[in-house]
Amino acid sequence: KLGVISLAVLVFYNVSGGPFGIETAVRAGGNFYAILGFLIMPFVWSLQEALMTAELGSTFVEASGGVAWVEEAFGPKVGWMAGYLSWISGATDNAIYPVLFLDYLLQVFGNDDESEAINPASRFILLSATTIFLAYVNWRGLHLIGKMSVFICLIAMSPFVILVVVGSFKVDTSRWFILPNSDTDETIDSLDDDIAGGFFPNFSTGGVLWRPFLNNLFWNLNSFDNGGTLVAELDSTAPFIRAMMLGVVLVVTCYFFPLLIAIGASDSVQSDWTNGYLAAINTEVVGPWLGAWTVFAAGISNIAMFQAELSSDAFQLMGMADRGHLPKIFSKRSRYGTPTYGLILGAGVIVCMGVSDLDTLIEMLNFNYAIALLLEYAAFFKLRISRPDLERPYRIPLSTFGCCIFFFPTIVATLLVMSLATYTTYYFAFGSWITGYIV
């Protein structure tokens, strides 16, 4: 069984894991808009999703999470699609974390030439061995993962606590208000990302490249609904609600303050903010030892994110099997209470994707996840209207109409992210939907 702190940290790692990976927001939006984005958007995306999860997760106490909510509202076929798209996004996203760690490693110890020296076969073997080992640790029990995540969280956030404390005396507040580079072509080149295509190719206003900017914010601030897959591992629903709210506080705090100090205390320019650049900033502001410590923290933070995602995905598969969407073999628990075959399937997907560079897939993952998330929001409102008598241990303290107003910017912002996608993403999403429907 999990406690409040353990679950809150698992939720934190399902969503964030610290400021690792926020660099694209600065590179695409500049200092001012990046700070504004991480200040405002948690109260557009994160808070609403966490509160919805607290209400529906405490109402449907089972491992399938959002699948149960959508199925109760719209039936088994729609429930299946919500779970399928959510799992596809989560399992694919989980393979990104080793790449993020490599980016941080190269920022401090390497260069572009050295990255080419990494043998693909050796990389694949190393990734496979690491994945299998971590899946084994996960299989040994969720309580072990929860305790390990709390310990890792303290270590992983320590370099940014030091950055905030030391860097706060070096901050030049005028740097917070620097607007983005008006030459969007230069910004596109620095992104090293094919952002052409789609209905709004290279959409930019005020110097902000909105597609990569909003996709980075969406990727960093969502996935609170994964907490719903772990509610059954608590002794009661009361700690679940507290854990969700604590998770929101952890996410907002661990993004905003390190970003504020990193921008204000360093001499960086917008194009410097490549993946892993926070390690270079910690080196500049505090010293080389903190840069090296940041790389180590990034490594173990990625392990915790990997474990949290692997756990929630496996428990979701178990819940879907309990509801008849998957073969009963996925319902079987190990002697440690963990879903053995869900963990094996998740680890297998990650190993297969070890040959790919998944940074460019973030937008595609966001798109499929956004569809699943919109289905959950629709289920929330449908159940509020059609099942007002449903026993809800926690209920958002707003009327259904009040919730419509509260969730309106959330849904609009999610649709905006989807509308800015490239044609490649639309093709990927359409292929995913067809495959899910056939299955």
Side-chain angles (χ1 to χ4, degrees), residues 245-302:
M245 294 303 99
L246 180 56
V248 173
V249 173
L250 286 172
V251 168
V252 174
T253 302
C254 293
Y255 278 137
F256 183 70
F257 290 106
L259 178 64
L260 203 64
I261 301 303
I263 288 175
S266 70
D267 295 324
S268 62
V269 296
Q270 185 176 341
S271 59
D272 288 336
W273 285 78
T274 56
N275 287 335
Y277 187 63
L278 281 174
I281 285 182
N282 284 354
T283 297
E284 176 191 337
V285 175
V286 181
W289 67 271
L290 190 63
W293 182 252
T294 304
V295 171
F296 175 71
I300 63 171
S301 181
N302 284 333

Side-chain angles (χ1 to χ4, degrees), residues 92 95-96 98-99 102 118-128 131 347-361:
T92 308
I96 292 176
V99 176
L102 182 61
I118 300 175
N119 185 288
S122 300
R123 178 181 180 276
F124 178 76
I125 293 171
L126 180 62
L127 174 63
S128 300
T131 299
V349 169
I350 294 164
V351 167
C352 291
M353 291 180 176
V355 297
S356 303
D357 178 359
L358 296 177
D359 274 338
T360 57
L361 293 180

Side-chain angles (χ1 to χ4, degrees), residues 150-221:
V150 173
F151 175 72
I152 286 177
C153 184
L154 295 174
I155 296 177
M157 293 311 300
S158 61
F160 299 104
V161 172
I162 296 171
L163 172 68
V164 170
V165 172
V166 176
S168 60
F169 297 99
K170 303 180 180 181
V171 165
D172 177 0
T173 56
S174 66
R175 296 188 55 79
W176 296 342
F177 302 97
I178 295 177
L179 296 176
N181 187 352
S182 59
D183 185 354
T184 54
D185 290 337
E186 182 180 331
T187 305
I188 291 171
D189 291 339
S190 71
L191 282 166
D192 192 25
D193 182 20
D194 179 15
I195 66 171
F199 296 109
F200 305 99
N202 300 350
F203 179 66
S204 172
T205 56
V208 178
L209 286 171
W210 289 102
R211 188 200 65 84
F213 180 71
L214 288 177
N215 266 284
N216 186 262
L217 289 173
F218 186 86
W219 183 56
N220 278 300
L221 295 172

Side-chain angles (χ1 to χ4, degrees), residues 7-22 38 42 45-47 49-50 53 93 97 100 216-228 243-244 246-252 254-255 301 304-306 308-309 312 366 369:
L7 180 57
V9 173
L10 283 176
V11 169
F12 169 70
Y13 273 112
N14 266 293
V15 178
S16 166
F20 310 104
I22 65 174
F38 280 102
W45 279 321
S46 304
L47 181 61
E49 187 181 358
T53 303
D93 178 67
Y97 300 131
L100 286 177
N216 186 262
L217 289 173
F218 186 86
W219 183 56
N220 278 300
L221 295 172
N222 282 282
S223 291
F224 284 92
D225 60 331
N226 282 348
M244 293 305 302
L246 180 56
V248 173
V249 173
L250 286 172
V251 168
V252 174
C254 293
Y255 278 137
S301 181
M305 288 189 284
F306 181 100
E309 184 73 61
S312 61
N366 282 349
Y369 176 71

Side-chain angles (χ1 to χ4, degrees), residues 129-144:
T130 303
T131 299
I132 292 169
F133 172 73
L134 293 176
Y136 170 74
V137 174
N138 209 304
W139 177 74
R140 286 295 301 267
L142 192 61
H143 69 285
L144 179 62

